[in-house]
Amino acid sequence: MVLSYLPVRDLSALSAVSKPTRALLMSYISTAPGSRRLLLRDFHRAPPAAAAVLQHYRALGLLLKRCTMLLPTRDRLKYVHKVLSGVPCFQLSGCASPLHCLGLQCYGAFLQVLTAGWDELECHRVFNFLWELGDLARKVQTVVSSKPGSARGLELRIRLFCRAVLLRPRSDRAFWLSRILKPWPMVHQARLLYLIFGPVSSRDGHVVWQKMIEGPTDESSLKGLADAIKLLYGTEAREWTADDVISLVDELSVVPQEWLMENNARLLLLSGNSVCFTFLASKAVNGRAVELARLMVFMALVCEKDRYCMDWAVRMLQRVCRVFSSPGERHSFLQCLENTFAHLLMDTLQAVLAGQRDGEDSASLSLSHLLSAQASFHREILDLAMGSST
């Protein structure tokens, strides 16, 4: 009777009193009255009330963490599952309106508190437990092996579960993201990365697979992917080599088909200097000078359109030029760069001339951006050259 009146935070404090008290609390949590009081299920509420529900599940995570602290990891997980299994919105397909449900966020907040301080082996067991519990491996296999967008409902639920439950903002996000991606072949890793972090429709929340193919996109559509790439390239992701990450970025650029080069360039810029240089250098080392030149031209275009400092693009060009093993290779690459600017300008000009008959002005805007990008790019190069000579 006393326990039924105590708030969750006080129950957490009480669990530290003694082993018999913890056992008493575990018994109470498993009873029907305890379950009804502690497992709030109204996950479709307005923001102020939703924040209170989220905080409640953080406190509940601390309570179960303390109550089960003497149990082996597997027994802790079984007990937690027994307690939480009656909440439909905690399941991958348990809610009829997952996009507007707070359930998975509450589950994620609960698990974040529960597993805080656990070592990698224990967290690996938690991941495997969750993966097996929802039969996630089979469902992910279905999604990454089928045509993008053919299972939109399942794609949405997998995305929400991974983002809200497994990848909440936390210091060990690289570990959890690695657990999600590493078991799959590279082509499936790229599909899964886009599924979790790619752009979605503002109308229904479904993944927009054609976004990178149909036209130039903006930073907001690429920021999630760029942040994930930086996470995998960082020092915390010990299982990933630089070659692994670069191969993943390369594979990502053809999901579900080959991206527009401008979108490739924008993703590289958003991924940071280290990823960008390593990716460009790999093109230089592997003799892909034409592709490298196109990327550099579109990087200059993105710098102009998104108002980045053009000095950055020129200094990146300097670093890449040092990768070439001979002056001849470097000269050939610079020639490809200038030819790419010229061909792109001519193609855009032809589109402008054709558009005059159709009343289209997008081609004129593209030509304006491209001319400005070329002028700014070469001005920075001249400033650098003249500064060096004096």
Side-chain angles (χ1 to χ4, degrees), residues 2-55:
V2 171
L3 295 180
S4 66
Y5 285 96
L6 290 176
V8 179
R9 288 189 178 277
D10 289 349
L11 292 175
S12 293
L14 191 61
S15 67
V17 171
S18 66
K19 185 176 179 180
T21 309
R22 281 196 294 275
L24 178 65
L25 282 168
M26 290 176 70
S27 297
Y28 168 70
I29 294 168
S30 300
T31 63
S35 177
R36 279 196 302 269
R37 189 169 81 85
L38 295 176
L39 297 180
L40 303 182
R41 303 186 186 203
D42 190 0
F43 299 114
H44 302 264
R45 308 175 73 176
V53 176
L54 200 61
Q55 191 58 40

Side-chain angles (χ1 to χ4, degrees), residues 96-112:
S97 181
L99 195 61
H100 306 289
C101 179
L102 193 68
L104 292 179
Q105 291 184 51
C106 288
Y107 193 17
F110 170 88
L111 284 174
Q112 185 176 2

Side-chain angles (χ1 to χ4, degrees), residues 15 22 26 29-30 60-85 107 110-119 121-123 125-126 129-130 133:
S15 67
R22 281 196 294 275
M26 290 176 70
I29 294 168
S30 300
L60 186 61
L62 181 60
L63 171 60
L64 293 191
K65 182 186 184 76
R66 289 176 172 175
C67 284
T68 61
M69 61 187 299
L70 298 180
L71 298 176
T73 302
R74 183 169 294 278
D75 292 341
R76 295 177 89 170
L77 295 175
K78 286 181 179 178
Y79 174 77
V80 169
H81 172 61
K82 180 182 177 183
V83 172
L84 302 182
S85 59
Y107 193 17
F110 170 88
L111 284 174
Q112 185 176 2
V113 174
L114 178 72
T115 60
W118 291 18
D119 61 32
L121 180 59
E122 291 174 315
C123 289
R125 287 171 178 160
V126 173
F129 183 81
L130 293 171
L133 196 63

